[in-house]
Amino acid sequence: MGLELYLDLLSSPCRAVYIFAKTNSIPFEYKEVTLMKGEQLSEDFGKVNPLKKIPALKDGDFTMSESVAILLYLAEKYKLSDHWYPANLEKRAKINEFLLWHVNVVRPLMVKDFWLKVMAPTLLGRTAPAEKLEAVEQEFSAALDQFEKTFLQGKTYISGEEISVADVLSLCDLIQATCTGQNIFEERPKMAAWRRNVESHIGMELINEAQKVVLNAGSYSKDSMDSKGVEWLTARARLLLS
C-alpha cells in the first residue's frame, strides 16, 4: 500500500503538503476530505486520524497528522535535496524556529481573518464587528513586520539563498490572506520579492492549481453546503463572533 494524503485544498496546510509533494515528484494517492461537508468528522476518517483534522497521512500502517510534521516526514523519508530541510544542525534549527513561530503566530491570525471576512458572513448572514476586524488586521500587520524584519531580512528565501519547507508552508498561508483583501505584498517589497522567488521555484501552474479552491471561497453559499458541515461550521463562526 502506497502513500495516501488526506486533503482538502480549501485548507492552506493541505495546500502546502500537496504543493510540496508535487514539487518533489513524491508519488501519492489523493484522498479528498471535504471540510464543507464535515467529512473529517466521520467515523471512517477517524480511523486515519482520531483528531479528525486534515491534512493527514497514511503510509502503509503508519498514520500521522499536522502539516509541519507531514512535510518533515516527507523530506526525510524520500531523502529530498538537502535545502528543503538541511542536515546542518544550525540551519535546521532556524527552519524549525520559523515553522513554530509561523504556526503559532501567523496562521491563527490568517485563519481568524478568513473566518471573520468570508465564512461568518456566508454562514450567519452578517458581517463581523468592525472592532474585531480591525484588531485582527493590526495583529496581522505586526506579525508580518516580524516576518520581514526578523526572519526574511532581505534574503532570497526564509532560510537563506535556497528554498526550504518553511517557504512553501508560509506562502500557502499568506496567499490565502490576500483573498480577504489583506495588502500583504503591495506594502512590503521584500516580501513581494520573496513571493516571486518562491513562485518561480515552484511554478505558477502548480500554485494556481492548488489555490483555485480558496480563490473561489467567496462564492460559497450556505445552501450549497452539506447540512452536517453547516452545523459545525456555523458553531465555529458563532464562537468567533461572540
Side-chain angles (χ1 to χ4, degrees):
M1 187 181 297
L3 177 69
E4 298 175 351
L5 296 177
Y6 293 76
L7 310 168
D8 181 344
L9 297 184
L10 179 62
S11 154
S12 62
C14 289
R15 292 195 301 277
V17 170
Y18 180 83
I19 287 174
F20 186 71
K22 286 281 191 177
T23 297
N24 288 287
S25 301
I26 296 172
F28 67 92
E29 182 178 353
Y30 182 96
K31 296 284 191 177
E32 178 78 24
V33 181
T34 306
L35 293 170
M36 290 297 187
K37 294 182 179 179
E39 290 177 352
Q40 77 280 13
L41 305 175
S42 71
E43 184 177 342
D44 284 344
F45 180 68
K47 296 174 183 176
V48 177
N49 182 15
L51 299 175
K52 298 189 175 181
K53 295 170 58 181
I54 55 173
L57 172 152
K58 190 172 189 296
D59 193 2
D61 294 329
F62 175 72
T63 61
M64 67 181 301
S65 62
E66 299 299 330
S67 58
V68 171
I70 291 172
L71 290 171
L72 301 186
Y73 174 83
L74 295 176
E76 296 270 21
K77 171 166 183 175
Y78 291 94
K79 296 178 170 54
L80 303 182
S81 297
D82 187 69
H83 63 81
W84 286 113
Y85 194 51
N88 177 276
L89 178 62
E90 291 185 358
K91 289 182 178 179
R92 178 171 286 202
K94 294 304 288 185
I95 289 175
N96 290 341
E97 177 188 35
F98 175 83
L99 290 171
L100 289 169
W101 174 82
H102 182 89
V103 299
N104 284 290
V105 177
V106 176
R107 180 171 289 167
L109 291 170
M110 178 275 296
V111 170
K112 186 181 290 187
D113 181 71
F114 184 78
W115 272 79
L116 289 175
K117 291 180 179 177
V118 177
M119 298 304 296
T122 299
L123 294 161
L124 303 177
R126 56 191 171 96
T127 57
E131 61 271 19
K132 282 186 175 289
L133 293 172
E134 183 177 352
V136 171
E137 290 194 4
Q138 288 179 351
E139 288 183 77
F140 211 163
S141 180
L144 294 175
D145 287 344
Q146 289 181 323
F147 179 101
E148 191 170 50
K149 296 173 183 177
T150 303
F151 294 101
L152 192 56
Q153 299 179 341
K155 299 190 296 289
T156 304
Y157 298 105
I158 291 166
S159 62
E161 298 310 304
E162 292 186 293
I163 196 169
S164 73
V165 293
D167 299 287
V168 177
L169 185 84
S170 185
L171 183 68
C172 288
D173 281 349
L174 293 177
I175 286 181
Q176 178 160 320
T178 66
C179 299
T180 64
Q182 293 277 7
N183 295 319
I184 294 173
F185 301 105
E186 290 83 349
E187 300 173 355
R188 294 177 174 83
K190 290 180 181 178
M191 288 187 65
W194 164 77
R195 175 184 180 176
R196 290 192 296 271
N197 293 332
V198 179
E199 290 178 338
S200 176
H201 186 100
I202 295 172
M204 288 308 301
E205 182 177 357
L206 176 56
I207 289 175
N208 289 336
E209 174 194 340
Q211 300 288 349
K212 182 170 57 178
V213 175
V214 73
L215 292 175
N216 293 327
S219 65
Y220 285 122
S221 68
K222 190 174 179 179
D223 293 338
S224 67
M225 299 178 190
D226 181 89
S227 58
K228 186 176 181 181
V230 167
E231 183 178 347
W232 83 270
L233 289 166
T234 301
R236 183 173 180 181
R238 286 202 178 103
L239 183 62
L240 269 175
L241 292 186
S242 62

